[in-house]
Amino acid sequence: MINLFLDRHDFLFAVEGFARGSHLRQHVWKEIVFKSISQMSDDDIDFLWFFMRRDIFECYFYELNGKKNTHFGYEDFMHVLAALHRGNRYMVTFYSEIEHKQLQALCYRFEGEYHPLYLYIDGKIVGKTKKNSGLQSFNAFVPDEWIKAVAKRKTPENRYVELGKEEWWNDLEIYDNFKTTYNG
């Protein structure tokens, strides 16, 4: 295991390089960016979300001869954008059929499902220790039949969003509809 300490600029440059490399983009979103969320401040998350949306989005979504197309890896890229978007946060209360108890999770919405970032019991993050951040699995989601309540969190301001690009920050439907928009 190699531990690297990168500032947000170096991290973004590395991720962009991985995303543009055909054989490297396969794992960058799930194994590098998603797993790093727990180490980021809210400001770091906002920074990365905006510059990845602005600078990397077109690596995966493009138009050719009037037809919208995608490149390999676009689903994982969108999954990570959804996870990074702090306006895409929901506190979900559900009854776990696995643990047989009611839990809460801070989730983000992606492809019509609520994906947990962190589980909570009695107001504390489940599994958070000195060696474990408590961040849930990339592919985890809360089944609809378990959900008891969903409370949308207030959308915070993102100081990095440039004038004229505010629609990117305000459009949460893109995380549920990108497949029909680009491959429909």
Side-chain angles (χ1 to χ4, degrees):
M1 174 60 122
I2 297 172
N3 290 320
L4 296 174
F5 298 95
L6 303 172
D7 68 17
R8 64 174 71 166
H9 299 281
D10 291 336
F11 186 74
L12 178 63
F13 297 146
V15 167
E16 188 171 3
F18 293 140
R20 292 185 188 278
S22 62
H23 68 288
L24 299 172
R25 77 174 89 172
Q26 185 174 356
H27 301 287
V28 68
W29 305 115
K30 182 175 15 176
E31 299 299 326
I32 297 174
V33 179
F34 185 81
K35 287 184 177 179
S36 299
I37 289 174
S38 63
Q39 299 172 42
M40 297 179 204
S41 68
D42 288 347
D43 195 58
D44 290 337
I45 288 171
D46 288 351
F47 174 88
L48 286 168
W49 177 87
F50 178 72
F51 289 101
M52 286 182 0
R53 174 61 178 90
R54 188 190 76 180
D55 299 340
I56 301 176
F57 189 85
E58 290 181 356
C59 291
Y60 293 98
F61 300 95
Y62 65 99
E63 196 166 317
L64 182 64
N65 298 326
K67 184 176 184 243
K68 294 182 177 187
N69 297 289
T70 58
H71 280 296
F72 176 76
Y74 75 96
E75 289 181 46
D76 286 350
F77 171 72
M78 286 302 290
H79 190 140
V80 166
L81 272 187
L84 287 171
H85 194 301
R86 290 188 318 114
N88 188 23
R89 296 282 190 272
Y90 304 83
M91 188 57 75
V92 177
T93 303
F94 62 98
Y95 184 82
S96 170
E97 304 239 344
I98 295 169
E99 298 194 27
H100 302 291
K101 62 177 138 182
Q102 187 162 301
L103 300 171
Q104 282 193 313
L106 178 63
C107 297
Y108 57 95
R109 194 165 160 80
F110 180 68
E111 290 192 312
E113 297 174 324
Y114 293 98
H115 295 261
L117 280 172
Y118 299 100
L119 292 178
Y120 290 88
I121 294 181
D122 298 327
K124 295 181 183 175
I125 297 175
V126 175
K128 186 171 179 138
T129 64
K130 287 184 180 182
K131 291 186 178 186
N132 186 353
S133 68
L135 187 70
Q136 297 300 298
S137 164
F138 183 75
N139 294 315
F141 67 94
V142 180
D144 287 342
E145 61 271 13
W146 291 10
I147 296 174
K148 303 297 179 198
V150 175
K152 168 99 171 69
R153 288 272 182 97
K154 185 177 185 244
T155 300
E157 197 172 307
N158 183 334
R159 69 185 183 114
Y160 297 100
V161 174
E162 298 168 351
L163 287 174
K165 307 290 187 198
E166 299 89 354
E167 69 201 47
W168 291 352
W169 186 245
N170 297 321
D171 180 15
L172 297 179
E173 288 183 26
I174 192 171
Y175 303 118
D176 285 332
N177 298 320
F178 69 94
K179 284 185 178 179
T180 54
T181 301
Y182 285 90
N183 286 331

